C-alpha cells in the first residue's frame, strides 16, 4: 500500500522559512515525478512545484518562483520543499503528490498525479 507522509509544517512569521518533507513508502518512486500542491480555505488545490525523477527537471508556480526550492532524495524516497521569504498568502495545507510510472515532465496538472499525502498545515502570520 502506497503511503505519503508530509511533515515540517507549522506557524511562521512573514519572511521566515520552513522546510517540508514527504516520505513515500509502499513502493519505489525513484523513476516518478513528485510534486507539491497547496489548498487554502475556500480555494481550489493549486500547483506549487514538481520535480522529475532525475531531478533534472523542475517546475514552479509563478507565485513561488525565487522563494521555494524543490529537491528529492531517491535513496530515501523523499521529496522536500524549502520555503523562504514566506508570505501570509502562502498559508495553506500543503500536499505531496506522486505520479506513478516514468515521465520526464514535471507536470503542474493535479489530475496527472496518482498518490496523495494527507497534507501539512503551513500558516504564515503577518
Amino acid at each position: 500500500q502506497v503511503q505519503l507522509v508530509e511533515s515540517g509544517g507549522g506557524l511562521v512569521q512573514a519572511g521566515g522559512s520552513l522546510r517540508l518533507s514527504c516520505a513515500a513508502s509502499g513502493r519505489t518512486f525513484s523513476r516518478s515525478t513528485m510534486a507539491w500542491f497547496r489548498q487554502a480555505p475556500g480555494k481550489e488545490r493549486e500547483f506549487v512545484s514538481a520535480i522529475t525523477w532525475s531531478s533534472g527537471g523542475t517546475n514552479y508556480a509563478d507565485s513561488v518562483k525565487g522563494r521555494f526550492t524543490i529537491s528529492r532524495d531517491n535513496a530515501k524516497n523523499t521529496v522536500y520543499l524549502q520555503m523562504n521569504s514566506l508570505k501570509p498568502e502562502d498559508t495553506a495545507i500543503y500536499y505531496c503528490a506522486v505520479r506513478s510510472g516514468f515521465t520526464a515532465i514535471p507536470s503542474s496538472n493535479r489530475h496527472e498525479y496518482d498518490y496523495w499525502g494527507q497534507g501539512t498545515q503551513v500558516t504564515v502570520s503577518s
Side-chain angles (χ1 to χ4, degrees):
Q1 182 178 355
V2 174
Q3 188 174 19
L4 303 178
V5 179
E6 302 98 334
S7 61
L11 173 63
V12 64
Q13 289 189 333
S17 298
L18 284 173
R19 188 192 192 208
L20 304 184
S21 299
C22 172
S25 61
R27 56 167 284 187
T28 300
F29 290 104
S30 59
R31 303 273 289 178
S32 303
T33 293
M34 303 181 79
W36 289 95
F37 290 78
R38 67 186 181 187
Q39 188 166 17
K43 295 187 177 181
E44 290 191 355
R45 192 169 299 188
E46 66 174 6
F47 171 75
V48 176
S49 185
I51 186 167
T52 58
W53 69 276
S54 65
S55 300
T58 58
N59 190 10
Y60 295 92
D62 288 342
S63 59
V64 306
K65 279 181 182 176
R67 301 188 297 123
F68 291 10
T69 302
I70 191 170
S71 61
R72 64 189 291 169
D73 185 335
N74 287 337
K76 296 182 179 180
N77 242 11
T78 300
V79 63
Y80 306 95
L81 186 68
Q82 177 66 43
M83 305 187 295
N84 299 328
S85 302
L86 283 161
K87 305 175 181 180
E89 51 264 43
D90 294 319
T91 295
I93 299 174
Y94 283 71
Y95 297 91
C96 171
V98 177
R99 178 175 175 174
S100 61
F102 171 73
T103 176
I105 300 173
S107 176
S108 61
N109 185 347
R110 64 182 182 182
H111 300 294
E112 295 182 7
Y113 290 85
D114 304 291
Y115 302 102
W116 293 83
Q118 292 301 306
T120 184
Q121 177 71 47
V122 171
T123 303
V124 184
S125 63
S126 58

